[in-house]
């Protein structure tokens, strides 16, 4: 998988710029174009981070639908944080209701 910077623009507003592969990038996985938002979920309030992340992903999805509709959006988190937070009901509900694709490892 190669990591290329991805700049999304929604309603003439840049959502991400000059981030390289650290937080948001474009890649290919098994021949499918993807965009990946990487989060660490290390903040003192995981629920606040979840709220912010859900909003960010919604904006990115809207921009991708306009700019690169063939690209699928993923949220990448560590396996430890997945086990620590994403097994909880509120996290599962957010994932399901917002159709968030998760990568962890």
């Amino acid at each position: 998988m190669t990591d290329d910077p991805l700049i999304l623009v929604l309603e003439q507003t840049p959502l991400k710029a000059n981030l390289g592969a650290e937080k948001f990038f474009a890649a290919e996985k098994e021949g499918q174009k993807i965009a990946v938002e990487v989060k660490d979920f290390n903040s003192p309030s995981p629920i606040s981070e979840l709220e912010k992340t859900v909003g960010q992903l919604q904006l990115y999805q809207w921009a991708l639908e306009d700019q690169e509709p063939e690209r699928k959006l993923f949220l990448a988190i560590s396996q430890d944080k997945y086990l620590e937070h994403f097994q909880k009901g509120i996290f599962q509900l957010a994932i399901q209701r917002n159709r968030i694709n998760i990568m962890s490892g």
Side-chain angles (χ1 to χ4, degrees), residues 5-25:
L6 181 62
I7 300 170
L8 293 178
V9 178
L10 184 60
E11 294 296 318
Q12 301 175 352
T13 302
L15 300 177
K16 289 283 186 180
N18 299 323
L19 293 179
E22 290 185 0
K23 292 284 183 185
F24 191 71
F25 60 90

Side-chain angles (χ1 to χ4, degrees), residues 91-103:
F91 281 79
Q92 287 293 309
L93 183 65
I95 291 166
Q96 292 169 0
R97 294 261 174 102
N98 293 284
R99 297 181 187 106
I100 297 171
N101 301 301
I102 300 284
M103 289 180 157

Side-chain angles (χ1 to χ4, degrees), residues 5-62:
L6 181 62
I7 300 170
L8 293 178
V9 178
L10 184 60
E11 294 296 318
Q12 301 175 352
T13 302
L15 300 177
K16 289 283 186 180
N18 299 323
L19 293 179
E22 290 185 0
K23 292 284 183 185
F24 191 71
F25 60 90
E28 285 198 25
K29 178 184 177 186
E30 299 169 2
Q32 179 183 31
K33 288 184 173 185
I34 64 172
V36 181
E37 173 70 12
V38 179
K39 293 288 188 180
D40 58 21
F41 277 88
N42 284 330
S43 75
S45 175
I47 296 299
S48 292
E49 193 162 351
L50 176 64
E51 292 169 341
K52 181 180 174 185
T53 299
V54 167
Q56 287 176 318
L57 292 173
Q58 184 65 64
L59 289 174
Y60 301 161
Q61 186 59 51
W62 292 342

Side-chain angles (χ1 to χ4, degrees), residues 74-85:
F74 284 84
L75 171 63
I77 55 173
S78 72
Q79 184 70 26
D80 290 342
K81 292 301 176 181
Y82 181 82
L83 294 173
E84 181 179 350
H85 300 304

